[in-house]
Amino acid sequence: MTGTPIHTHLLSGDAGIKFAADVAAGLGAALKSHQAVSVDTRSLTAADLTTVQSLIAARVSAEAQGRTLLMAAPVSPALHAVLSDAGFLSPAQPNRGFWAISSDQP
């Protein structure tokens, strides 16, 4: 990815189940238009497991296309709570590093 500019895709507001189709469509469009995408969730006010599923699906899709999807640090408190509650941040979780947890988050 050296020399490839990274596009920042902003997820803001409510990214829960009511807006899952919009979240998935936005991530898909960003990946279609850019080789590397960083997802910024700092202004996300609500998230649930569908948010996590959409992000994981976008990451898998990006890898299948030879593209890159990264999470910008820190993730929003709303997303961090879902990740923590669902066990995605446990030390044994092999993909824990994808979530780009900053040092100021437990």
Side-chain angles (χ1 to χ4, degrees), residues 59-95:
R59 180 182 183 202
V60 169
S61 178
E63 288 175 0
Q65 298 171 37
R67 297 177 185 270
T68 303
L69 181 78
L70 308 166
M71 295 299 297
V75 297
S76 74
L79 181 57
H80 185 270
V82 173
L83 292 169
S84 181
D85 291 348
F88 287 96
L89 302 180
S90 72
Q93 180 61 246
N95 296 308

Side-chain angles (χ1 to χ4, degrees), residues 22-62:
D22 295 335
V23 170
L27 290 167
L31 285 168
K32 185 176 180 181
S33 301
H34 304 281
Q35 187 67 27
V37 175
S38 175
V39 181
D40 182 342
T41 63
R42 290 177 290 178
S43 59
L44 200 63
T45 58
D48 59 24
L49 283 176
T50 61
T51 311
V52 175
Q53 290 170 325
S54 295
L55 290 164
I56 291 171
R59 180 182 183 202
V60 169
S61 178

